[in-house]
Amino acid sequence: MAKNSRSGAVRKLKKGPSVGTGGHGRKALEGKGPTPKATERTYHKAHKNQQLAERSAAKRVDAGRPARPRTGPKGRATEELVTGRNSVVEALRAGIPAKALYVAVRVDMDERVRESLKLATERGIPLMEAHKPELDRLTEDAVHQGLVLQIPPYEYGDAVDKAQEVMAAWKKGHIANAPLIVALDGITDTRNLGAIIRSVSAFSGHAVVIPERRSAGVTAAAWKTSAGAAVRVPVVKAPNLNRAIGAFQDMGYFVLGLDGDGDVSLPNLSLATDPVCLVVGSEGKGLSRLVRENCDQIVSIPINSAMESLNASMAVGISLYEISKQRAPQA
């Protein structure tokens, strides 16, 4: 029988890696690279939270409800956020206008949360459910306790236009009392502004004038202090208070400045029944020099010599009471 020609054959192998291996051994030693961020790992909780937040933000934009307060031309916030259960429920009780009430998902219910939801529902304020990370971003990590109220920007009218409107209404007999407006010179405390708005409403005033600059504005704190009076009394702005005062005088208003060492004492005020613009300065500095010079009369409130000055809102309240008393029909 013939021997198999292949039996006993030895195959010679070349040294080194064979062709086509591609250096698999070397690649195995390189590893898989740096660990991806938590937000880039699809199975991680951080990734899911990020996706949820992005979807919620997109929904808010589509619905016209921005997540963060908007800013004006100079970067100033024109919308406010009231945070915390006590603050939110008090703001809703005071009737502060609101665009939306944000409520945390699975929020711990208590009396404040229940009342806030009830008040918001009764007033037709949209309820927005959001996760805690989303509320943290919305409030820039403020303590919100699962409740955030979004306040729209206050719409200010023009001071001169409003004064003209009130004067015209009085001359036509549409309002019984002579025009009465209060102008603020350097009042920067929002609570003072709110208290003054409340006094103007209580004594049948027609408007509150604030300067464009260096003045408190109608914020959530002012709304709260006014106890809802800001709904009834318009707050209007004057780009330049001294020019506005001149315009009021041209219309027939008597401009009375409240300050110490005045020309007349409050009980002897003879101009109370005429159209009046009452100007009050800050508690510390009082009326500015130009405003004082442009007033028709400086009126002082007699007080105990041990007391240097009155709080601005208190001074306005006392003065408006005296004006109201003199305007009341005599029995």
Side-chain angles (χ1 to χ4, degrees):
M1 174 188 276
K3 294 182 178 179
N4 189 336
S5 59
R6 296 181 62 85
S7 63
V10 178
R11 185 177 180 180
K12 295 182 179 181
L13 299 176
K14 295 181 180 180
K15 294 181 179 180
S18 57
V19 177
T21 63
H24 292 313
R26 184 172 67 253
K27 285 186 178 180
L29 296 175
E30 292 178 355
K32 297 182 179 180
T35 303
K37 296 179 180 179
T39 54
E40 296 174 356
R41 286 177 264 169
T42 56
Y43 57 85
H44 199 281
K45 183 179 179 180
H47 175 77
K48 296 176 182 178
N49 286 339
Q50 184 184 48
Q51 284 190 321
L52 177 63
E54 289 174 354
R55 285 197 299 268
S56 298
K59 288 179 182 177
R60 284 196 303 273
V61 172
D62 293 340
R65 291 186 287 269
R68 290 184 179 273
R70 296 178 181 176
T71 55
K74 297 183 180 180
R76 296 178 180 174
T78 56
E79 291 185 348
E80 277 196 283
L81 297 176
V82 179
T83 61
R85 299 186 181 189
N86 286 332
S87 298
V88 168
V89 74
E90 288 175 6
L92 290 170
R93 287 171 184 168
I96 295 177
K99 290 184 67 176
L101 175 62
Y102 289 86
V103 186
V105 176
R106 294 188 295 275
V107 65
D108 293 332
M109 299 295 289
D110 64 10
E111 290 302 318
R112 295 167 297 177
V113 176
R114 292 189 185 92
E115 185 178 355
S116 296
L117 295 174
K118 179 177 178 292
L119 291 172
T121 302
E122 290 174 350
R123 291 176 50 191
I125 298 172
L127 301 178
M128 308 288 290
E129 195 173 42
H131 287 268
K132 184 180 181 299
E134 193 176 349
L135 292 180
D136 291 340
R137 282 189 292 273
L138 177 65
T139 62
E140 297 181 349
D141 295 320
V143 178
H144 52 74
Q145 299 174 302
L147 281 186
V148 178
L149 190 67
Q150 187 178 20
I151 307 299
Y154 185 86
E155 296 183 4
Y156 299 96
D158 180 76
V160 175
D161 290 345
K162 186 62 183 178
Q164 184 67 62
E165 176 189 323
V166 174
M167 181 66 78
W170 178 60
K171 289 181 177 178
K172 293 177 182 178
H174 296 166
I175 56 177
N177 292 326
L180 175 60
I181 59 179
V182 175
L184 311 186
D185 180 23
I187 303 294
T188 57
D189 189 328
T190 54
R191 290 169 297 183
N192 256 341
L193 171 60
I196 289 170
I197 294 171
R198 189 172 182 176
S199 294
V200 172
S201 175
F203 295 109
S204 304
H206 299 106
V208 173
V209 178
I210 62 173
E212 189 76 42
R213 299 178 182 177
R214 294 183 294 277
S215 176
V218 183
T219 63
W223 269 105
K224 181 179 174 183
T225 311
S226 77
V231 175
R232 300 182 294 275
V233 177
V235 179
V236 292
K237 278 190 174 182
N240 185 296
L241 185 57
N242 283 291
R243 291 179 185 173
I245 287 174
F248 298 159
Q249 291 166 328
D250 292 339
M251 295 177 202
Y253 286 85
F254 287 98
V255 179
L256 310 179
L258 277 180
D259 212 347
D261 301 323
D263 305 324
V264 296
S265 179
L266 186 61
N268 301 319
L269 181 61
S270 60
L271 299 173
T273 56
D274 294 297
V276 167
C277 171
L278 187 68
V279 188
V280 60
S282 63
E283 184 176 347
K285 297 180 180 178
L287 295 173
S288 60
R289 181 182 60 82
L290 281 177
V291 168
R292 186 184 176 96
E293 290 175 358
N294 289 327
C295 288
D296 295 306
Q297 204 171 64
I298 300 299
V299 181
S300 61
I301 300 173
I303 59 175
N304 190 309
S305 58
M307 178 67 67
E308 292 182 1
S309 64
L310 293 172
N311 174 275
S313 60
M314 185 179 295
V316 169
I318 293 172
S319 303
L320 291 178
Y321 168 74
E322 181 63 29
I323 292 173
S324 176
K325 187 173 71 172
Q326 293 194 32
R327 288 185 173 191
Q330 299 299 321

